[in-house]
Amino acid sequence: MQHARRLWIKAPAATLEPSYAGGIVITGSTISELIPAGASPSSPVDEVFDAAEHVLLPGLINAHHHFYQTLTRAFPAALNKELFPWLKSLYPVWAELSQEMVEVSTQIALAELLLSGCTTASDHHYLFPRGLEEAIDIQMAQAERLGVRVHLTRGSMSLGEDDGGLPPQKTVQEEEVILADSERLIKRYHQSDDGAMRRVALAPCSPFSVSEALMKASAGLAEQYGVRLHTHLAETHDETEFCQQMFGLRPVDYLEKVGWLNNKVWLAHGIHFNDEEIQRLGRNGVGICHCPSSNMLLASGQCPTLDLEAAGSPVGLGVDGSASNDCSNMIQEVRQALLLQRLRYGASKITHQKVLDWATRGSAACLGRDDIGTIAPGKQADFALFRLDALRFAGAGDPLAALVLCGADQADRMMVAGEWRVKDGEVAGLDLKRLMARQRELAAQLAATV
Ligand SMILES: [Zn+2]
């Protein structure tokens, strides 16, 4: 039997933890040894990568996104609006998505994520117009092609305008269709083992686009198959008002009523909670994905991150869709989290280490994993290496702080499960120029449909 290749990432310029200042050894797809400063691996290695010019981070984990929205960045009709009117401008456009649009926009979003140091990506896709019933299958194929670890959620919308919901009727699906497809996707793609490259979760879109019955049925199906649940919650005051009018409940009470107040659930945004609700979410271990850029762009508000954490909720980070960000850059999102959260909690509590922890260990916890998100023996070999030789770093002191404060925007190298997926700032196996040209054509086609 051939032995697994041993690679030493030697003595990085800086690391998130001092325990591996001398680097890490990768054996096959996992991390096998942490090297203290000035030391060498305990047994011979096959290859050495000299990281003296690189800052080493655990791979960043994006806990909330909508890949398809890369086709509607800075969309003219949606500019300068808050969530509900923004959605109403975009729903009719998104209803015209084609298979190729999903394929290309997924590649674009994943390439952008990979290049920003992201090794695990979650996506929330909830549009399945006629001909696009296999949108998640298309995303799975692209993720496999680029070698990124994914948690793809089977999103859904079932409450259209005719029934008091926000989305146009033509964008919603029958509940039996949604549940049958959810089951199909879990059976076909979900890997429950340690080191899984692809997982499936169920994700009814939001209280204002899904019926109470579908929320309950999705929870039942998730429980049956041991998969996680995800949705948007407490994003805006409009949503709170909607819940009070439609269900006679605030969003967290509604969540509890439909059987979602537990540690198998992670929520996107989580902004408008009162103190009692924060305690209840924390006690039940509900995860919160903070999406700072989107929250600022749509003027939604500030997530009470530290209060949620103190109450017991895992807190992770997400870029949210590229129509409300309008990019998919995880290391930039780390900086946004630091800036926004400092306004709420002050500079001494929101450190660069804190926001990097949210983007790694915190996001992993939201996704229900502990085999990724940290650098430790036995964990998956998912990490990113950033150089500090761009103009924006000239004169920087602390290299780790510089990544966040000077605004790093691109990883030089990136490994997922022991395989290089980004080398010298390029995504392996992707002709980015050609891809971007096609994305531009498709975005123009999509815009012309309305
Ligand atoms: Zn979202």
Side-chain angles (χ1 to χ4, degrees):
M1 202 176 109
Q2 210 183 354
H3 87 140
R5 183 181 64 123
R6 281 167 56 79
L7 164 67
W8 178 19
I9 306 296
K10 185 182 172 184
T15 55
L16 190 52
E17 307 281 348
S19 57
Y20 49 92
I24 56 177
V25 177
I26 310 303
T27 305
S29 62
T30 56
I31 297 164
S32 54
E33 192 178 353
L34 305 189
I35 312 298
S40 297
S42 56
S43 57
V45 296
D46 303 296
E47 201 183 329
V48 177
F49 179 84
D50 184 349
E53 304 283 317
H54 293 84
V55 177
L56 168 67
L57 291 184
L60 305 179
I61 299 173
N62 184 39
H64 182 70
H65 202 340
H66 311 284
F67 296 157
Y68 73 88
Q69 290 184 10
T70 55
L71 288 159
T72 52
R73 304 185 211 244
F75 195 78
L79 293 177
N80 313 323
K81 289 182 173 158
E82 296 186 9
L83 183 70
F84 277 18
W86 175 87
L87 278 170
K88 287 194 160 213
S89 322
L90 285 162
Y91 281 140
V93 185
W94 296 336
E96 304 301 324
L97 283 174
S98 69
Q99 288 191 10
E100 191 192 0
M101 287 171 187
V102 169
E103 182 182 318
V104 171
S105 60
T106 297
Q107 286 179 35
I108 288 280
L110 287 176
E112 215 179 336
L113 287 167
L114 285 166
L115 286 168
S116 69
C118 172
T119 50
T120 299
S122 182
D123 193 67
H124 187 175
H125 188 90
Y126 50 82
L127 290 147
F128 300 86
R130 194 179 294 276
L132 195 55
E133 290 82 0
E134 299 195 343
I136 309 278
D137 303 73
I138 294 170
Q139 293 184 319
M140 284 288 184
Q142 297 313 318
E144 191 170 348
R145 183 179 157 200
L146 296 178
V148 60
R149 206 182 288 284
V150 285
H151 283 233
L152 298 185
T153 70
R154 203 300 179 183
S156 52
M157 296 204 292
S158 67
L159 190 72
E161 279 170 333
D162 295 357
D163 303 307
L166 195 72
Q169 211 60 30
K170 71 171 181 178
T171 61
V172 306
Q173 282 183 300
E174 295 289 330
E175 301 193 349
E176 305 81 75
V177 173
I178 292 167
L179 292 166
D181 193 48
S182 300
E183 195 166 10
R184 175 186 75 81
L185 289 164
I186 296 168
K187 285 181 173 167
R188 175 141 191 218
Y189 296 109
H190 183 71
Q191 299 171 336
S192 53
D193 55 323
D194 220 43
M197 286 299 289
R198 56 183 196 223
R199 288 200 178 157
V200 174
L202 304 186
C205 192
S206 62
F208 49 84
S209 57
V210 169
S211 75
E212 201 174 316
L214 185 63
M215 289 295 283
K216 286 181 179 162
S218 297
L221 195 60
E223 163 121 47
Q224 185 187 337
Y225 286 97
V227 302
R228 295 178 75 76
L229 289 166
H230 180 53
T231 192
H232 294 95
L233 203 89
E235 183 174 358
T236 63
H237 290 300
D238 283 351
E239 178 198 319
T240 308
E241 267 169 45
F242 178 95
C243 287
Q244 276 169 329
Q245 276 178 12
M246 187 82 176
F247 311 113
L249 297 168
R250 285 176 54 82
V252 174
D253 296 324
Y254 174 65
L255 203 69
E256 183 158 23
K257 185 182 180 201
V258 294
W260 278 55
L261 208 65
N262 60 66
N263 64 3
K264 303 288 186 289
V265 173
W266 89 102
L267 306 171
H269 306 300
I271 295 168
H272 301 289
F273 300 133
N274 62 33
D275 292 346
E276 182 278 326
E277 289 164 347
I278 289 173
Q279 295 308 316
R280 204 164 5 137
L281 289 160
R283 227 177 13 254
N284 290 285
V286 177
I288 306 291
C289 175
H290 176 35
C291 305
S293 294
S294 173
N295 297 162
M296 288 188 276
L297 199 118
L298 297 175
S300 303
Q302 299 173 8
C303 174
T305 50
L306 294 188
D307 296 271
L308 285 157
E309 262 191 343
S313 284
V315 170
L317 284 189
V319 300
D320 199 7
S322 302
S324 65
N325 182 309
D326 286 353
C327 65
S328 311
N329 190 306
M330 259 312 275
I331 190 67
Q332 292 263 299
E333 204 64 23
V334 172
R335 182 170 198 262
Q336 299 282 47
L338 177 126
L339 297 176
L340 177 60
Q341 291 294 321
R342 278 195 173 182
L343 290 179
R344 191 179 185 101
Y345 294 108
S348 63
K349 287 189 177 148
I350 304 295
T351 63
H352 58 277
Q353 292 95 336
K354 178 80 209 161
V355 286
L356 286 166
D357 182 64
W358 284 338
T360 53
R361 194 200 46 81
S363 285
C366 283
L367 300 181
R369 299 183 74 141
D370 63 4
D371 59 334
I372 56 174
T374 48
I375 300 265
K379 305 290 181 192
Q380 289 295 301
D382 290 13
F383 62 87
L385 294 166
F386 291 84
R387 293 180 71 92
L388 298 176
D389 54 359
L391 179 59
R392 65 195 323 145
F393 302 111
D398 181 316
L400 188 65
L403 268 192
V404 180
L405 301 181
C406 305
D409 63 352
Q410 190 170 341
D412 181 54
R413 285 198 166 231
M414 217 269 289
M415 187 173 262
V416 184
E419 301 286 340
W420 290 117
R421 297 302 180 185
V422 170
K423 273 186 181 180
D424 304 328
E426 288 189 8
V427 182
L430 205 58
D431 181 346
L432 217 47
K433 260 197 180 143
R434 219 170 107 192
L435 182 65
M436 284 160 60
R438 188 61 187 145
Q439 168 94 339
R440 270 196 299 275
E441 288 168 5
L442 292 170
Q445 264 180 38
L446 188 60
T449 59
V450 290

